[in-house]
Amino acid sequence: MEISASGRLEVRITAADVGKRVSVRRLTDDGDTVEKFTDTVGVLTSWDDGVLLITRRAGERVRIAESTLVAGKVVPAAPARRRGPAASYEELARVAARAWRPVESERLGGWELRAAGGFTRRANSVLPLGDPGVPLDDALTLVRDWYGARGLPAYIQTSTGAEGTEELLCAHLEARGWSNEVTAELWIGALAPLADHEAPEVTLSRTADASWLGRYQRKGVGEVALRVLGSGPSAWFATVPGAEGEPPAAIGRCVVDGRWAGFAAVEVDPAHRRRGLATAVMAALADRALAEGASAAWLQVETDNTAARTLYAGLGFAAHHAYHHYRWTPGEEAAEGAGPTEPAGAERDASEGTAATAPETSGGAETYRSA
């Protein structure tokens, strides 16, 4: 907290600091006679009518009455990472986008509109890196029309929690009737330690063949989905064979792109759990990626996928930033001049073929695939 020369706490932020990362302390009134304080760190996304709105790293909105503030200051945009590869948000966003390409895209200034017949939100959402080149309301109208012409819901993928992320855009979307349908995180880690694990029985292929697809949780994969799965600078598919005539015991996907290797679709047959097959799949893919010159790894996982998060943390991964898919919900547009609304609760969409959830029951496979 900011302390004056006299030793008193001070509020050293104003409405002019909207868009900056701040740390504030407020007095909490819970009826107790003892004063209690609560600290909040995040991006100041608005300061209107005596109320501050702060967006935390994972996208949570905190409303704070100006009258309760006892201290506040602007803090660095993001804390320094203590381990793992260094990376900016924009670099990772572009790498992740190249690893999961749509079948159709169009530029709107710095935004990319992406479509793939509804196969996954990531391939059917706007990636807003930069200015759209037109006023925001005009851009959102163009987005809705573009997806409407393709018979698709309008999604915008935003991010929070790192330098250069889009907390302000999130607030603007919510104020205009867009709802946060799902939140996930992008994690990063060193690649070499992954390859140190043993990888018996794992075979690698350049294509997602019928056997691999037999374990992949999304059923009825068609031509469009195959194009998305096979996209990326250098895509690899890992398979651990199952019993004769049965789908593989485990599968995984990796895309190598320069120094980065991105992991996805790591799935294990429940009959083969606790055998380290998910780790073996990632180890084999990591070894291949190292041979192609990669040195860092990334993956995406939903915030409530406990099994996946435990696995990845044990392999040295840590969260870099959160990302969110906002969906246009007609008829729920906020009143003109209204402040940002609270985000809707995360709601899974069965059409999201790569959403990392808690172990899925469809087909019985334990799922570690990326969001």
Side-chain angles (χ1 to χ4, degrees), residues 143-166:
V143 166
R144 293 194 297 265
D145 290 346
W146 194 84
Y147 284 98
R150 289 155 179 79
L152 297 170
Y155 281 104
I156 297 179
Q157 179 181 313
T158 64
S159 60
T160 58
E163 184 173 3
T165 47
E166 297 137 345

Side-chain angles (χ1 to χ4, degrees), residues 83-174:
R83 62 173 180 149
S88 68
Y89 161 68
E90 183 173 346
E91 177 187 6
L92 285 167
R94 295 190 184 281
V95 167
R98 288 194 296 267
W100 197 258
R101 295 300 303 153
V103 297
E104 179 185 7
S105 66
E106 185 174 321
R107 304 297 304 186
L108 178 61
W111 292 15
E112 182 185 10
L113 283 62
R114 306 174 293 183
F119 177 72
T120 74
R121 293 184 190 88
R122 283 188 291 145
N124 292 272
S125 59
V126 178
L127 183 63
L129 295 181
D131 193 307
V134 297
L136 179 60
D137 286 327
D138 293 341
L140 296 180
T141 297
L142 291 169
V143 166
R144 293 194 297 265
D145 290 346
W146 194 84
Y147 284 98
R150 289 155 179 79
L152 297 170
Y155 281 104
I156 297 179
Q157 179 181 313
T158 64
S159 60
T160 58
E163 184 173 3
T165 47
E166 297 137 345
E167 286 83 355
L168 287 178
L169 178 57
C170 294
H172 289 315
L173 290 174
E174 290 175 14

Side-chain angles (χ1 to χ4, degrees), residues 30-41:
D30 58 4
D32 200 329
T33 57
V34 179
E35 289 187 338
K36 295 182 179 179
F37 301 95
T38 300
D39 294 335
T40 303
V41 178

